[in-house]
Amino acid sequence: MLRFTHGFLLLTAVAALGCGSDGSGAAAGSGGAGGNGGSGGSGGTYIEPGPTCLAFCKKAVRECKAFSFSEASCVQGCETNLAEERAQLEACGTAVEAWFLCASELDCQGVYDWRDRNPLDSYPCRSTVMDVDLACPQN
């Protein structure tokens, strides 16, 4: 379960949820020095995409290329995160959705500044990150 501590950006969770699996379960790790490689994606449950995650991933991944994971992985990670947060507390899910929506409305320079938290005290959508911190209880 993702929780926002010290302004931690949600997209890190989207990247973690999205990277390594596009829902097919086909991705597998490669063995490192002395390693055994990963077990691949979990093939998790498909969640029907909603307009907020579609818009966010279209902007951040497809249009701005702000992240290296696929748009499909982004959408599923976003939807999974929203579902998990709403299951814990509806107000938290609503705040997280507002955060994704805010980022989806930025131009590409805004997306890069948002991703990089630049400038730290006034990056784009900072107020929605603060709202998430307030709405989502800590573990």
Side-chain angles (χ1 to χ4, degrees), residues 34-57:
N36 293 324
S39 62
S42 64
T45 304
Y46 176 80
I47 300 174
E48 187 67 33
T52 299
C53 290
L54 289 170
F56 168 75
C57 294

Side-chain angles (χ1 to χ4, degrees), residues 18-97:
C19 286
S21 175
D22 61 4
S24 68
S30 58
N36 293 324
S39 62
S42 64
T45 304
Y46 176 80
I47 300 174
E48 187 67 33
T52 299
C53 290
L54 289 170
F56 168 75
C57 294
K58 176 184 176 192
K59 174 64 77 169
V61 176
R62 186 189 327 163
E63 293 176 14
C64 299
K65 297 179 181 19
F67 302 97
S68 61
F69 44 86
S70 74
E71 188 174 350
S73 293
C74 175
V75 170
Q76 283 301 293
C78 174
E79 291 295 342
T80 298
N81 189 266
L82 287 177
E84 288 176 354
E85 296 302 347
R86 280 206 168 95
Q88 292 297 312
L89 186 64
E90 185 66 29
C92 178
T94 299
V96 170
E97 185 167 16

Side-chain angles (χ1 to χ4, degrees), residues 101-112:
L101 185 60
C102 181
S104 74
E105 295 171 345
L106 300 171
D107 63 14
C108 286
Q109 185 58 53
V111 170
Y112 306 140

